[in-house]
Amino acid sequence: MGDLRGLARRIRKSAAFQRMLERMFAGYTRLILRTTRWRHEGFAGFEADLARGEAKVFCVWHGRLLMAPFCRDWTDPGLSVLGSDHPDARIATEVMRRMGIDVIPLKTRGGNSASVARAVAVLRGGKTIGITPDGPLGPGEEAKAGAILLASRAQAELVPFAYSTNRRIHAKSWDRFLVPLPFGRGIFLIGKGFVPAPNLDAEGLAAAQARLSRLLTETAAEADRRVDAGDW
């Protein structure tokens, strides 16, 4: 059994296996994009802010990540995402790189000061950072401090985002990963965000984390409600 487990680990980590998974991932997202009737809601103010060069921290729960990069054309302005180096995250980050999205790597072990400094510089340049505040390993739907601290340092708005489709299943994983099924209705939804105060103390940081968690969960629930009751 030990030999079989070792073989399975080696296959999983092999470049050929990773490339196969990347092709499957990219192919499935294209299928969902092409066979789903999508709506964009809540984007008007967001797009106007981007046009004015206002920095944004684009936040989405890890379980709603699959279709999030496809909610708009990120060519202008560009998008940088904070992507974990965890093996389970590499497939998604490689697909995003091929879409022209800049990936700022985050180590699951060790320091990330250089990556954080790069992300802050992106924000201070008026660009957008994408992040899963509960990733890469959870707990699910509990915002960690990272997104808050980035937005606080750069005085950028935290923007809650979710997508949903009326034909969907949830994986039995820590994040209840949403897997959309083809030939349904879909929504990309931006909720109301906020800019955290600068120089947050521990109490202020905890309050901002709770607020972001609530906004993201409410946005996801509203996305589900709208597609389930949809008239398109």
Side-chain angles (χ1 to χ4, degrees):
M1 286 297 293
D3 289 344
L4 288 175
R5 284 194 292 268
L7 176 62
R9 281 195 297 269
R10 288 195 295 274
I11 291 173
R12 183 171 172 236
K13 292 180 179 179
S14 72
F17 185 70
Q18 290 292 314
R19 285 194 298 271
M20 181 190 72
L21 289 179
E22 288 167 23
R23 288 194 294 270
M24 292 172 62
F25 181 96
Y28 191 75
T29 55
R30 285 195 297 269
L31 173 67
I32 298 302
L33 280 174
R34 292 171 181 172
T35 62
T36 303
R37 289 171 290 162
W38 291 100
R39 274 191 177 180
H40 291 70
E41 297 190 18
F43 278 73
F46 178 71
E47 294 292 347
D49 289 347
L50 292 185
R52 288 191 293 267
E54 294 187 16
K56 303 289 181 183
V57 180
F58 193 75
C59 301
V60 57
W61 285 142
H62 196 275
R64 304 275 174 151
L65 179 60
L66 182 65
M67 303 304 296
F70 303 96
C71 71
R72 72 183 301 276
D73 180 359
W74 292 103
T75 304
D76 184 23
L79 173 68
S80 297
V81 299
L82 288 163
S84 169
D85 66 354
H86 190 273
D88 292 344
R90 289 175 191 161
I91 297 166
T93 55
E94 283 306 313
V95 170
M96 284 189 278
R97 282 193 178 99
R98 292 178 186 181
M99 292 171 60
I101 295 172
D102 176 44
V103 178
I104 300 174
L106 284 178
K107 300 175 185 176
T108 51
R109 292 185 177 86
N112 283 297
S113 57
S115 295
V116 171
R118 181 175 159 191
V120 171
V122 168
L123 290 169
R124 288 178 174 165
K127 301 296 184 181
T128 300
I129 288 286
I131 190 169
T132 55
D134 59 343
L137 299 174
E141 299 192 1
E142 293 183 18
K144 298 176 183 176
I148 308 292
L149 293 173
L150 280 177
S152 175
R153 285 178 61 179
Q155 282 298 277
E157 183 183 24
L158 292 155
V159 177
F161 168 84
Y163 86 90
S164 188
T165 62
N166 68 315
R167 288 174 46 78
R168 63 186 184 272
I169 57 175
H170 289 274
K172 294 181 179 178
S173 54
W174 64 266
D175 57 358
R176 296 188 69 247
F177 196 81
L178 190 153
V179 181
L181 302 176
F183 308 108
R185 297 184 302 271
I187 190 169
F188 294 123
L189 179 64
I190 288 180
K192 185 173 176 57
F194 69 100
V195 179
N199 304 314
L200 289 167
D201 59 16
E203 183 179 353
L205 177 60
Q209 287 176 252
R211 183 178 180 185
L212 179 59
S213 295
R214 175 177 56 80
L215 291 173
L216 278 166
T217 298
E218 288 175 353
T219 304
E222 180 63 12
D224 290 345
R225 187 193 68 78
R226 293 192 190 189
V227 293
D228 290 342
D231 58 358
W232 73 96

